[in-house]
Amino acid sequence: MNSLSLFKRASRCFDDYPSLAKLVVICTISGGCYVAYADANGTGSAPPVLEEIKKKKVVVLGTGWAGTSFLKKLNNPSYDVQVISPRNYFAFTPLLPSVTCGTVEARSIVEPIRSIVRKKSIDIRYWEAECFKIEAENKKVHCRPNSESSKNGKEEFVVDYDYLIIAMGARPNTFNTPGVVENCNFLKEVEDAQQIRQSVINSFEKASLPTFSDEERKRILHFVVVGGGPTGVEFAAELHDFVNEDLVKLYPAAKDFVKITLLEASDHILNMFDKRITGFAEEKFQRDGIDVKLGSMVVKVSDKEISTKVRGNDGEITTIPYGMVVWSTGNGTHPVIKDFMQQIGQSNRRALATDEWLRVEGCSTIYALGDCATVNQRKVMEDIAAIFKKADKDNSGTLTVKEFREVIKDICERYPQVELYLKNKKMRDLVDLLKMAKGDVAKEAIELNIEEFKKALSEVDSQMKNLPATAQVAAQQGTYLANCFNRMEEAEKNPEGPIRFREEGRHRFHPFRYKHLGQFAPLGGEQTAAQLPGDWVSIGQSSQWLWYSVYASKLVSWRTRVLVISDWTRRFVFGRDSSGI
Amino acid sequence: MNSLSLFKRASRCFDDYPSLAKLVVICTISGGCYVAYADANGTGSAPPVLEEIKKKKVVVLGTGWAGTSFLKKLNNPSYDVQVISPRNYFAFTPLLPSVTCGTVEARSIVEPIRSIVRKKSIDIRYWEAECFKIEAENKKVHCRPNSESSKNGKEEFVVDYDYLIIAMGARPNTFNTPGVVENCNFLKEVEDAQQIRQSVINSFEKASLPTFSDEERKRILHFVVVGGGPTGVEFAAELHDFVNEDLVKLYPAAKDFVKITLLEASDHILNMFDKRITGFAEEKFQRDGIDVKLGSMVVKVSDKEISTKVRGNDGEITTIPYGMVVWSTGNGTHPVIKDFMQQIGQSNRRALATDEWLRVEGCSTIYALGDCATVNQRKVMEDIAAIFKKADKDNSGTLTVKEFREVIKDICERYPQVELYLKNKKMRDLVDLLKMAKGDVAKEAIELNIEEFKKALSEVDSQMKNLPATAQVAAQQGTYLANCFNRMEEAEKNPEGPIRFREEGRHRFHPFRYKHLGQFAPLGGEQTAAQLPGDWVSIGQSSQWLWYSVYASKLVSWRTRVLVISDWTRRFVFGRDSSGI
Ligand SMILES: Cc1cc2nc3c(=O)[nH]c(=O)nc-3n(C[C@H](O)[C@H](O)[C@H](O)COP(=O)(O)OP(=O)(O)OC[C@H]3O[C@@H](n4cnc5c(N)ncnc54)[C@H](O)[C@@H]3O)c2cc1C
Ligand SMILES: Cc1cc2nc3c(=O)[nH]c(=O)nc-3n(C[C@H](O)[C@H](O)[C@H](O)COP(=O)(O)OP(=O)(O)OC[C@H]3O[C@@H](n4cnc5c(N)ncnc54)[C@H](O)[C@@H]3O)c2cc1C
């Protein structure tokens, strides 16, 4: 695959940044500073917005991918926006695994939320606090500053909203496995990555001490990664490179003791990727000496041992000594969200269910996006009678092709699974489907009754898939929602969405549609796997450069871009630092 | 003053680094990487030293300025060296104040001790542990790893030594002021600087919250610096710049609330500097709005208030509300050193007393250097009889000028205060002094008895001064001691030091002599004061550039050099980051 076209395709991989950004790899180290300088100074401070009256209060919880992309795209000055998040910065999570081993510095991948919103001409205030309760009934959120002194509750405060946007992300999922919280490192926040970096160095220093037996040294330098998803795999790869490229030089004696094990409960690592990538990764890890144990489910973690149940082994429990565990098995629910879900009758779910317009089900003024939410696609079968009725304009009890043609677009927009089904079955349009349902009758004047209509659409809902919990989805949702808020008034007057099948009129907006732009899996040793839309797969060093380019261009500011690129350069020249700070 | 010559003089300001380093400012950002690359790869790994027998065990405690400069200069392979320090890196402390506000990143000023010693061809092992007890009698040090898990004492270990080198530095001195440990930030370690940086940002975030009254905001944004020495002054200046150059842009509302107060117990800040510098600094701070309160002694710190006793105010106590205090009032004693001093009968001292060869008094195999030690210069008056006796070769009871000439050099070397006295009194040599003592008798054949000799030297000891606790002293001591260790065997055979006046023979080595090379005081706003030897004083922006050049050239490795310079560049271009990490 031509790497230039690969770059073009891949650089669309997140949201729409100025195309200038794509030049970044070429102009960085030498010219980058000057460009950046112009950029940093080019924007004057925004004039204060005057009219305060009647402004709707929008409260945004969280400054991660979803919250930040919402704030960046929002440009309607008729809102009074308050942002609440315990971290006063946005973190570029795809580079977090690189922070764990010092390939990139923590500070290079964060940007203060105040710098991000300062250049906007709308009213945005930020509070460094965490929301600890959402009170949907009274349209209030309860917050507390995240400083130590506020633990006594004296400094708590309440913020009112007209619209609430929940983008609080997720917590690591421990599956309630005993000992995980006490003994494992997570990799979710910037602090986690810094902590892991220190722990790795500490392990090497500890294993070098004269007090320990070789047996103990082996244990201390046994690094276990739980979870073979992209994060776990990337961390294992980073750690392997750190050890073999840098640490062995300073700790030559440790070489014989260090071991990395990756535990994955399912049959393959990276199982959301193409089989070719999975295969390549498993082989590469084997060559690298990373011990990938598939079908291994962790059942308990004590302070020095980790117990796994290996599938097909009669449920036998294996216990292995370890020095450090990084737990990376996906997302659990934030306690605040859990509490809120109970309030609105959504308990027993992992994430807040929203409709296709990202509105929390049952709460017309609350939106949820990113990792804390999941879009609950409406099933065609639930609405089948309503759809039939809307389409059957003459109330004849049967649908003609003509009647049907008039609602096809709306059906496909409202129920994207229909379009997906047609595409997968290689049908031109819904009419083909109807024809199928009627047997091989080929005439245009085909007519269907409700039962036949149901039969035709019965398999469609099987195409529904949940969106992955990725930065890509979160960022696109943020952008989508900001665009809705920007055009709220116009859309009230001239709704632009599909027909409401159950009610009258049209939806105000087009529903959210996710556009998958591809995914990377860095595997260490300058090898990266890339899976782009249309099942394009590319593995190797060229994808690594693609990865560098795309990530550099997608960073949130020129400052972070210059820093990350100089971090990469520094790593090439001097290696990674092993100071225990 | 010509700034080139200024640079030349000042760049000698620490120890002797390769002169290549001085090119650093010119070649850095563009070419620096390449030079650095060559440097990083140019050294092969050292061949293992074979003969293990009979090697003397040298144990070094601490990897600060003193310990590291010792290790860097040591090149005699006949020692088995073990280094013990709780931090596995060397930190370039003069740039610590810059780390508090993000002008320079913490990681840019540290270098792993393993990287520093790895290139050496001698046997150096490093243990990341803290020494918690020195047992002089059995020549042992007791250590414990500084990891959490070792708190139960299980992982403690003991190291034997033939020679012990104590370079553990000092602790902040609180003068036992109540509340200081609980409520103040210190500025001694890299972690302290990182902590201060976070606290400053946190204060700004906290003051921005909607919950607080303006009164409270004022308190939260009141930063108090205790101690008007170079560190306190530099921190106050850094903080002022951080607030005014960067933070006010992101926290415009905070501008009216923020205040910096500097409390100094004596009559002037920077009182070890020339009066011109002190005056300039006090004026500049006044212009900047930094409230310098002289003659203010802190007597108590509570969680929100600091109480001071103002001199000349009838001992009245003033209490001011504050948000954050940085305590920087000089050095206290490390508990381990305190305990050791008790063992060897040196209690009631602030630092370990050594002789002029840096040997701890009363312990022939223990050396102490840097901030934890002080050189106890021998008084001439204590030895006057012995000196007279040694000089009076013919035992005549009187000294002739000829006899005297033969020991002059040794006297001046052994008692440097003598030389200093002569210089200050503008005398050519000791003979002039003797002539003085005899009245205006001008003939060469002058003869003195012991009483006259005593009289002549009676004022000399008033010239004795303690060495300052600076990196310069510590580094010179480390280098000095390494040179002694390097030539230990030769010097045993051919002692090169001055005559032993009380005993027979000569001292093995020349005593340690400190060479003061000047001092900087950065005052913020690109203004630095420099005081160079011979009372050269330079204040302003040219000294700031001198400061940049000297510090860049003195950094310990090419990696840190490139990083610090790119940090400075980044700061010019993008400002300092305000993310709370
Ligand atoms: C190590 C790692 C690597 C990843 N790599 C990739 C990748 O390469 N590509 C990709 O597409 N995705 C990647 N992801 C996934 C991606 O980061 C998430 O899907 C994305 O961050 C979700 O965005 P979000 O805004 O929902 O949540 P987050 O980005 O997690 O943001 C949540 C925000 O809510 C705030 N918050 C938390 N609690 C509260 C509270 N009580 N009150 C108020 N605010 C609160 C947090 O401070 C934060 O600002 C990675 C994730 C991790 C952890
Ligand atoms: C903020 C700041 C700015 C400064 N600026 C300057 C300047 O501009 N110019 C200048 O000349 N001087 C400056 N100084 C002073 C200078 O840093 C000190 O004088 C110098 O560090 C003393 O060197 P040292 O080796 O004795 O101690 P340190 O450098 O403090 O090193 C002590 C070492 O001992 C280790 N240690 C501690 N406890 C133990 C233990 N229990 N067991 C084993 N090891 C232990 C520590 O980890 C450390 O490695 C500054 C100091 C500070 C704090």
Side-chain angles (χ1 to χ4, degrees), chain B residues 113-131:
Chain B
I113 200 71
R114 292 179 186 272
S115 314
I116 294 175
V117 301
R118 159 167 89 102
K119 296 168 190 169
K120 304 196 66 94
S121 54
I122 60 175
D123 226 16
I124 301 182
R125 284 171 297 163
Y126 165 75
W127 315 129
E128 189 184 79
E130 61 166 6
C131 160

Side-chain angles (χ1 to χ4, degrees), chain B residues 179-198:
Chain B
V180 172
V181 173
E182 298 83 352
N183 300 304
C184 297
N185 290 78
F186 297 107
L187 179 46
K188 199 103 192 87
E189 307 278 349
V190 177
E191 285 92 340
D192 295 337
Q194 290 176 307
Q195 174 77 45
I196 289 175
R197 181 174 187 177
Q198 281 194 1

Side-chain angles (χ1 to χ4, degrees), chain A residues 204 207-208 217 221 247-258:
Chain A
F204 275 82
S208 309
R217 290 202 172 98
L221 291 179
L247 293 179
V248 289
K249 291 186 201 146
L250 298 183
Y251 306 82
K255 204 181 167 157
D256 305 329
F257 301 113
V258 64

